[in-house]
Amino acid sequence: MLYRRRTIDLPHGKLNTPVFFPVRNIGKRSSDNTPSYVGSIPDLPVAMINTRAIRNRTPMWDRLLNGVTLREEMGVPEDTIVFADSGGFDFSSGEVDTTPKKTLEAQRQLDADIYGTVDVPLSREKRAAENQRRVNQSIEYALEASDQHSGEALLFASVHGYDPETVRNCIAHLEKFGDFDGYALGSMVPIRSDYKKVTKLILSARTATDKHLHVYGLGGLVYQPLLLYLGVDSFDSSAFIRGAGNRNYLIPGFGGEELQDIEQLERLPCPCPVCGTRTLDDIREDRSALVQHNLWALATELRRFQYVAESGRNIEDYLDLRFQGNEVTSRAYQTAKQQVRRLT
């Protein structure tokens, strides 16, 4: 098992890992539709933001330049730990409209604790030569950011690869020619249903470096245990928002359940502070409450894994039970287990 716990010092406080970063939509056209959770869910004093979206939202950016802090703009305490990615997912099908220097300047203005380098994610529709160009471009952007980074926050190099060897080679090259505090593995979302491929790519990154490893875009209930088992230190997701938009109710230990499939229940199966005193009808009519519950579900999934690990119980026995109800994820876990056992 590669699961591990660490504490890292950041400008706005200490961060205990592994940790889940909820994605905030601040700066996006839909505005910031994430309800309050910092403080009410003690496991999540953190947020993932999109630097490009905020930088391109002129009224908001003007307020930030004129003295309003990002955390004031989000309505969260000033000690909230912020990971600012470059917004690279927006470049999946469009042209890159920023530079490493411009993105670093914006991340400094946002007073983020962790900077993600500018990157160009892979696309399943693109040919191999085009994806290799994107891999190389992301490496060049990362090295340029490394040259210009002054160390006021952690710098994570964004890494992409279409096979394990590419991922390992990217990290080895960046480690040799750059100066990074960690690595953030991307291009996982388009292939997230291919569990075997995703777990192999993550494992190749994990074994290529002992530094902090973040995975972009994967943090749902099903993936969390796999990421933790593979030694991932942090991850992010907006699934709790998107799921609520589809009236999907997350249940720790199981997965998502559409509310219409459990409408016969008066009381919900989760005793979290959101659901504990409310009926199913209450939650159905309150989208913000459903989003908050989904965040509690993700925090609970992480707590459950940590409990199993810290109490000395066998993690693999736990995961055998956790995935037994899903043939696809069970096969992916069994493959990952075989690979991990050869490493430990």
Side-chain angles (χ1 to χ4, degrees):
M1 185 186 63
L2 303 178
Y3 167 77
R4 63 187 195 175
R5 299 189 71 176
R6 291 185 172 184
T7 300
I8 53 178
D9 291 318
L10 295 169
H12 291 84
K14 294 183 181 298
L15 179 67
N16 295 316
T17 65
V19 63
F20 166 63
F21 282 85
V23 170
R24 302 287 300 242
N25 285 328
I26 184 169
K28 287 286 189 179
R29 188 175 298 277
S30 58
S31 190
D32 189 9
N33 56 11
T34 308
S36 173
Y37 66 88
V38 177
S40 60
I41 305 179
D43 319 48
L44 305 178
V46 295
M48 168 68 81
I49 60 169
N50 179 323
T51 301
R52 177 179 180 273
I54 298 173
R55 179 65 182 81
N56 290 349
R57 193 78 170 180
T58 301
M60 181 182 294
W61 186 246
D62 288 343
R63 288 195 295 274
L64 293 169
L65 292 178
N66 287 307
V68 175
T69 70
L70 170 72
R71 291 161 180 84
E72 287 174 339
E73 191 73 26
M74 292 196 297
V76 298
E78 286 298 313
D79 59 357
T80 301
I81 291 170
V82 172
F83 185 156
D85 72 12
S86 70
F89 197 70
D90 296 342
F91 308 140
S92 298
S93 57
E95 293 297 318
V96 177
D97 59 1
T98 186
T99 65
K101 181 179 180 181
K102 183 178 177 181
T103 294
L104 276 177
E105 289 174 351
Q107 290 165 330
R108 290 189 187 105
Q109 177 63 36
L110 296 172
D111 199 16
D113 296 271
I114 302 171
Y115 304 161
T117 61
V118 177
D119 56 325
V120 190
L122 308 182
S123 169
R124 299 187 78 172
E125 289 72 33
K126 299 293 182 182
R127 294 183 177 180
E130 169 60 14
N131 272 338
Q132 184 59 52
R133 185 194 69 78
R134 293 179 178 219
V135 169
N136 295 340
Q137 187 69 72
S138 296
I139 289 174
E140 290 178 19
Y141 286 148
L143 292 176
E144 189 174 337
S146 173
D147 290 341
Q148 299 182 11
H149 180 232
S150 54
E152 68 280 4
L154 299 191
L155 181 66
F156 288 0
S158 302
V159 174
H160 300 274
Y162 39 79
D163 58 31
E165 183 179 11
T166 306
V167 171
R168 283 194 296 270
N169 289 343
C170 284
I171 292 177
H173 185 82
L174 291 166
E175 192 71 6
K176 183 176 181 180
F177 295 103
D179 184 8
F180 302 100
D181 301 292
Y183 297 91
L185 186 63
S187 296
M188 298 289 103
V189 174
I191 60 171
R192 61 180 179 272
S193 60
D194 190 344
Y195 288 92
K196 279 191 175 182
K197 182 172 184 177
V198 168
T199 53
K200 286 180 179 178
L201 292 172
I202 292 172
L203 192 56
S204 67
R206 180 67 288 165
T207 55
T209 179
D210 189 52
K211 291 182 178 178
H212 189 105
L213 177 62
H214 181 90
V215 173
Y216 285 134
L218 294 182
L221 288 180
V222 175
Y223 261 111
Q224 262 202 38
L226 280 174
L227 300 181
L228 296 167
Y229 179 69
L230 295 172
V232 173
D233 299 298
S234 61
F235 36 87
D236 66 87
S237 176
S238 61
F240 60 100
I241 299 175
R242 290 183 285 103
N246 295 323
R247 294 294 185 266
N248 206 14
Y249 182 85
L250 302 185
I251 305 174
F254 290 89
E257 188 73 56
E258 293 186 17
L259 287 177
Q260 64 182 7
D261 294 335
I262 54 176
E263 61 184 5
Q264 299 302 317
L265 293 176
E266 180 180 355
R267 296 292 173 188
L268 290 156
C270 173
C272 79
V274 180
C275 303
T277 58
R278 306 178 72 167
T279 66
L280 176 58
D281 286 340
D282 290 338
I283 299 294
R284 181 185 289 111
E285 295 170 4
D286 186 347
R287 182 180 175 280
S288 292
L290 182 54
V291 174
Q292 287 176 313
H293 154 75
N294 284 346
L295 275 171
W296 270 107
L298 293 168
T300 302
E301 185 81 36
L302 179 54
R303 286 186 190 184
R304 184 172 295 175
F305 191 103
Q306 288 175 322
Y307 164 71
V308 174
E310 301 302 323
S311 64
R313 287 168 168 76
N314 189 305
I315 289 289
E316 294 184 346
D317 288 347
Y318 168 67
L319 293 181
D320 284 337
L321 290 171
R322 177 67 178 78
F323 292 117
Q324 68 177 358
N326 186 309
E327 185 178 346
V328 175
T329 54
S330 179
R331 283 203 304 269
Y333 164 59
Q334 293 302 327
T335 300
K337 183 163 67 174
Q338 292 172 8
Q339 294 177 298
V340 168
R341 283 182 170 179
R342 286 196 288 268
L343 297 170
T344 57

